[in-house]
Amino acid sequence: MYEEAVNAFRTHWDETDGHGAGWQNEYWGKTMLCFAGAVAYTRDPALRAWTLDRVHAFVKEFQKPNGYLSTYATEDLLHINPDNPNAEARWGFNIWGRKYTLWALIELHRATGDKFCLDAAVKMADHLIAQLKRLNMPIAKTGSWWGISSGSILRPMVELYHLTGRTAYLDFCRDIVRGLDAEPSNPGTILRDAFRKEKIVDWYPKATYWAKAYEIQSCLEGLVAYYRATGERRALDGVIAYHRHLVDEELNPMGGAGYFDHFLNARAHANGMTELCDVVHWIRLNRELLLLTGEAKYADYIEEAFLNAFLAGVSRDGRWGAHIIRSHGTRHLFAPAQTGMKLHQCCPDNMMRTYFDYAATQAARTADGAVAVMLYTDGRCTVGDAAVEVAGGYPWSDGSVSVTVDTPAPTTVRFRVPAWCASLSVAGVKTTPRDGWVAAKAGKGRTAWEFGFDMRPRLERWTGPEEEELPPSPQMHSHEIPKYTVHFMEWYTPDMAGLSRTRSGVRVLRGPLVLAKGRLAGTSRAETLCATTLRDEGWSAARIAPAARTAENAGAFHPWILTFTRGAEEKSVPVGDFASVSNIDDPSNWFSLWF
Ligand SMILES: [Zn+2]
């Protein structure tokens, strides 16, 4: 896989067969961001040495003396169709891909201390700044979606400013932010638009083109970093306003944000679909806001996205993953080959970052010196001089979790309480959280707490307009959302034909887990894919209990029996967690999170 990513810099496929709009440019950087994370996480000297050998050889072979480092042979090919009056025809990923290479060099430097990586990053950044100046071209006029793809270089540029202290990088970031905010005729002004009242889907003449979730979320992450560096409040307020739009309009039933790969009012669509890259960046965006604001709700979004949408999209052996995660059907769309590559695809190449992002979110030091425990899946971590250990099998267990903090001096510990947990028992005593947190004191040495999370099933009624039922559409990029839905339901998976839903239904959660019916949990195909819903029939979710292991439910990580009641009536369904009943690429599988 590594060699294929390197080879893209020899073949220049992005410019030739990719007609100036390929994105093989991103894969070396994305791969090496994962290696940087792995080196930092494992501290394995052999992995560190292997990685640095590869990086040095790569930079020596491909970085030009002027600093340019890209798969595009023509340096100044920053977008295609420069003179086309139709703005949508502007396209290209030269700067988008350079962003990933730059970012990887920065993170490799951070993980290893290697100065060669930092020098190479500085040369890349200096070249880009000089290039745009020479061409007299604002970054908003490069790449795709009016600078949204290129502007995502904001995040690594802010990091480079932190590492070098050079104001030229911060000045460049300011130009990017101005482009995202100011130009009245530019449809790529997500910072200004964030404050609009209308739904994101209504901001654009063709939202199925403009409202591209991965690239927009990448820019939002950069805006948070920019706020950290400058204190410019409008940048943070804009991200928070955009985040509010995403929560109100775009949360999908799998726990991510977006519909297919765009912001198209996902909450209203019964046929849930979400790109794994968007889940990865939804988690990253929430992590940035959590660390910055300390608001517990952001950890709730991370947890729900990671345990459901994200893990559903990771194959069982962890070696590959999905491009699109679906709410129901036979299977997700496992990542097909893309942009001329055989071993890389945008989503699996992002996957490993999320493992590290999630693990790094378990605990943190707050600004006032407390230890904040934020995620409760089993793990051990060190924050400053405090060691934190979480055990208990959450969220698949009965809700008992033990947390141990080992600290050389007494300290305050704050525990995040998920919003779905109205009360938390600490050592058997019910405690009411304030703003999503409960505080406790840890003495010198080891202190242990026992928590009981409320794991009773919660039923949510999802409503939305009936979706039009249409025959399969041959139009791959139809801008009409119903056709778009049918097409992408069946894209690469003809076994999904006829499984479009016209109505959403009831979603049931147990703690942060989205429950699902499915073959692997022992639910019949007819019951699983049944298009009717309990939504309007007055049922409530009464209880959930572990199911005895049988051959039929052996594929679910934890099989349960979920029981609904309506008056004196009862209805029981075998279920599992959404991720483990759906994470196989098998056309004979079936699953659904809709009840
Ligand atoms: Zn992707």
Side-chain angles (χ1 to χ4, degrees):
M1 290 183 78
Y2 181 76
E3 291 308 322
E4 192 188 40
V6 171
N7 204 41
F9 289 77
R10 295 194 184 98
T11 62
H12 307 298
W13 186 98
D14 280 340
E15 191 174 330
T16 53
D17 301 72
H19 306 291
W23 61 92
Q24 294 191 349
N25 211 4
E26 72 181 34
Y27 293 120
W28 187 88
K30 285 168 92 162
T31 300
M32 285 322 235
L33 277 169
C34 295
F35 274 91
V39 168
Y41 187 84
T42 64
R43 303 180 197 188
D44 176 347
L47 183 64
R48 179 184 186 278
W50 184 96
T51 306
L52 285 179
D53 278 354
R54 297 298 178 291
V55 179
H56 289 198
F58 171 80
V59 171
K60 282 174 189 153
E61 184 174 352
F62 297 108
Q63 188 167 37
K64 292 195 176 170
N66 69 0
Y68 183 68
L69 179 52
S70 175
T71 55
Y72 286 71
T74 308
E75 288 187 27
D76 290 347
L77 183 60
L78 300 182
H79 56 84
I80 54 172
N81 297 331
D83 302 319
N84 193 318
N86 174 7
E88 286 187 21
R90 207 192 295 271
W91 199 254
F93 293 99
N94 193 343
I95 296 178
W96 167 265
R98 280 146 76 181
K99 167 197 73 181
Y100 274 114
T101 305
L102 175 72
W103 204 349
L105 290 167
I106 289 168
E107 293 306 321
L108 287 162
H109 167 73
R110 283 217 170 108
T112 63
D114 184 75
K115 186 163 180 307
F116 181 89
C117 292
L118 181 61
D119 290 346
V122 163
K123 283 168 74 178
M124 279 191 83
D126 290 349
H127 170 270
L128 175 63
I129 291 169
Q131 179 186 29
L132 292 173
K133 204 172 206 173
R134 171 171 56 78
L135 297 170
N136 192 25
M137 185 181 287
I139 197 164
K141 295 204 168 162
T142 69
S144 311
W145 304 283
W146 277 77
I148 295 293
S149 60
S150 303
S152 61
I153 203 167
L154 185 55
R155 177 73 202 259
M157 279 289 182
V158 171
E159 300 307 323
L160 197 58
Y161 164 71
H162 287 308
L163 286 169
T164 64
R166 291 191 200 167
T167 51
Y169 302 139
L170 205 54
D171 292 342
F172 184 71
C173 292
R174 201 164 280 125
D175 285 344
I176 295 175
V177 173
R178 198 176 302 128
L180 295 176
D181 197 5
E183 292 177 54
S185 61
N186 176 357
T189 48
I190 55 169
L191 176 53
R192 191 190 57 208
D193 292 336
F195 300 101
R196 291 174 67 166
K197 293 256 184 310
E198 310 94 308
K199 289 179 176 175
I200 298 169
V201 71
D202 297 326
W203 295 355
Y204 304 102
K206 282 181 187 171
T208 49
Y209 175 79
W210 286 105
K212 186 68 172 57
Y214 176 11
E215 288 76 2
I216 288 173
Q217 290 187 101
S218 300
C219 287
L220 295 176
E221 179 186 335
L223 284 168
V224 179
Y226 177 78
Y227 165 78
R228 278 180 185 277
T230 63
E232 284 179 27
R233 187 71 210 190
R234 183 170 164 85
L236 179 62
D237 288 346
V239 175
I240 289 172
Y242 206 107
H243 187 276
R244 202 173 302 128
H245 278 285
L246 295 182
V247 168
D248 292 345
E249 302 153 25
E250 298 296 339
L251 286 187
N252 58 52
M254 297 78 73
Y259 182 61
F260 196 80
D261 57 353
H262 282 70
F263 295 136
L264 301 174
N265 200 17
R267 272 191 183 268
H269 293 287
N271 297 292
M273 293 185 271
T274 194
E275 182 180 350
L276 191 65
C277 287
D278 300 346
V279 183
V280 166
H281 281 272
W282 173 239
I283 289 171
R284 287 185 63 83
L285 175 61
N286 280 289
R287 175 174 150 74
E288 293 299 319
L289 291 171
L290 171 67
L291 295 179
L292 197 57
T293 67
E295 287 191 48
K297 67 180 181 185
Y298 296 116
D300 294 359
Y301 297 125
I302 293 171
E303 191 175 47
E304 190 175 322
F306 180 81
L307 294 166
N308 300 294
F310 178 77
L311 288 183
V314 176
S315 64
R316 291 195 162 198
D317 61 6
R319 293 166 72 95
W320 197 243
H323 177 41
I324 302 296
I325 296 108
R326 291 161 166 149
S327 56
H328 65 279
T330 52
R331 51 184 167 155
H332 306 306
L333 196 176
F334 271 70
Q338 184 187 65
T339 195
M341 303 294 261
K342 291 191 171 64
L343 303 172
H344 290 266
Q345 200 266 357
C346 58
C347 299
D349 273 58
N350 261 329
M351 245 161 50
M352 201 184 290
R353 290 186 93 185
T354 301
Y355 303 140
F356 301 128
D357 288 339
Y358 183 79
T361 310
Q362 182 164 51
R365 276 278 180 189
T366 63
D368 61 2
V371 172
V373 179
M374 303 186 288
L375 297 175
Y376 295 98
T377 35
D378 292 1
R380 284 195 307 273
C381 64
T382 307
V383 281
D385 55 10
V388 177
E389 182 163 358
V390 180
Y394 172 97
W396 295 275
S397 66
D398 61 0
S400 316
V401 170
S402 69
V403 179
T404 309
V405 175
D406 194 343
T407 166
T411 185
T412 300
V413 184
R414 295 203 185 94
F415 299 98
R416 167 200 154 239
V417 183
W420 48 262
C421 199
S423 70
L424 174 76
S425 78
V426 183
V429 180
K430 270 201 173 178
T431 310
T432 305
R434 281 182 54 184
D435 296 329
W437 298 93
V438 291
K441 289 282 179 204
K444 180 173 180 284
R446 281 168 64 89
T447 311
W449 293 267
E450 297 293 327
F451 296 129
F453 289 96
D454 183 351
M455 291 299 197
R456 285 175 298 181
R458 309 185 312 283
L459 182 149
E460 296 173 353
R461 290 184 162 77
W462 280 53
T463 53
E466 301 261 321
E467 290 212 65
E468 204 179 332
E469 201 155 10
L470 285 172
S473 162
Q475 282 171 272
M476 170 147 167
H477 284 296
S478 166
H479 289 292
E480 295 166 53
I481 291 175
K483 282 184 189 162
Y484 187 95
T485 297
V486 174
H487 178 80
F488 286 120
M489 278 293 284
E490 297 165 23
W491 198 37
Y492 285 95
T493 53
D495 38 290
M496 292 279 292
L499 297 181
S500 284
R501 290 182 68 97
T502 55
R503 306 175 77 199
S504 50
V506 162
R507 193 174 79 138
V508 186
L509 292 101
R510 179 188 184 278
L513 293 176
V514 174
L515 299 177
K517 301 173 283 188
R519 192 189 86 189
L520 300 177
T523 330
S524 72
R525 182 181 161 106
E527 176 154 19
T528 299
L529 297 177
C530 164
T532 59
T533 161
L534 304 178
R535 189 175 77 194
D536 308 317
E537 297 175 2
W539 294 92
S540 54
R543 61 183 185 273
I544 186 166
R549 279 280 183 195
T550 62
E552 282 69 41
N553 66 23
F557 192 47
H558 268 267
W560 287 291
I561 300 293
L562 172 63
T563 301
F564 298 92
T565 54
R566 180 173 63 181
E569 286 176 275
E570 286 203 341
K571 176 182 169 60
S572 291
V573 191
V575 297
D577 67 289
F578 171 69
S580 81
V581 300
S582 69
N583 62 0
I584 59 171
D585 185 14
D586 177 354
S588 66
N589 194 34
W590 58 80
F591 65 91
S592 177
L593 56 72
W594 292 126
F595 291 87

